[in-house]
Amino acid sequence: MVLRSLFRNARSADTEPTPSPTPPTDAGARGLIADPSRAELSGEWMFDQAHSTIGFAARYAVVTRIRGSFTDFDGWLRLDGERPESSGAGVVVRTATVDTRVAQRDRHLRSADFLDAERYPTITFRSTHIEQVGDDRFRMTGALTVKGRTHPVTVDLLYTGLVVDAFGVERIGFDGTAVVDRTQWELAWNAKLETGGLMVSEQIELEFDISAVRAP
């Protein structure tokens, strides 16, 4: 699997942000799991796609919000309780799987006006720094690559817990949010409304609801 390969290569990854989702060796994670009570989080974790959501929301015609998500993605977490500064995270999203529950809108989002999924089949994120900002709240900065263009993005994270589910599977959870300006990645299509304003907001809210299981 792709994620197993990422884990095997984690220690040899370079330290500069790149479009690759390979884990950086010096990704800061001060305080992420420094509390001894969280030492059990140490290890490598894979996103459970069936129980996770990577979504977004945008204002449409000023007065309403349109939500969507991606139905195919991989993600990993590498958490180290003894050396939290070595923790990191990465995500690979398949752009063609964008889903807003409206087929015509999804085709437009996959087109060159927006994601240009044929030329750019993936969106990637790789963390570069993590800091604790509350008991269970963290701020992760990383490199987000869309349409071949990379810019920094900051994600606010809430650690929701560590459990063993009804099937005996150990899993952890994080909720995350971020706000980005889509024009930074040349997702700039728009139309002006007769009454003023834009058809689609330039500010996009990113939403993450992540359940991850230990990597085999």
Side-chain angles (χ1 to χ4, degrees), residues 96-197:
T97 68
V98 63
D99 181 12
T100 64
R101 299 185 300 173
V102 177
Q104 182 178 4
R105 182 165 58 216
D106 294 344
R107 286 194 295 272
H108 193 194
L109 289 173
R110 288 192 292 266
S111 75
D113 283 344
F114 287 101
L115 296 171
D116 201 357
E118 186 172 344
R119 291 183 60 197
Y120 302 99
T122 61
I123 294 170
T124 64
F125 174 84
R126 194 184 81 174
S127 66
T128 55
H129 179 74
I130 302 172
E131 62 178 330
Q132 186 168 6
V133 295
D135 287 345
D136 290 314
R137 295 186 179 274
F138 307 89
R139 187 160 293 141
M140 175 187 293
T141 300
L144 178 64
T145 301
V146 185
K147 295 179 73 172
R149 296 161 181 82
T150 302
H151 295 285
V153 168
T154 297
V155 181
D156 290 319
L157 292 169
L158 171 66
Y159 167 62
T160 57
L162 168 67
V163 300
V164 177
D165 67 20
F167 300 96
V169 177
E170 191 177 19
R171 61 178 67 239
I172 56 173
F174 289 91
D175 289 344
T177 59
V179 177
V180 299
D181 181 346
R182 63 186 174 92
T183 63
Q184 285 188 290
W185 292 271
E186 295 195 8
L187 307 174
W189 181 92
N190 227 322
K192 291 184 178 180
L193 302 173
E194 291 184 7
T195 53

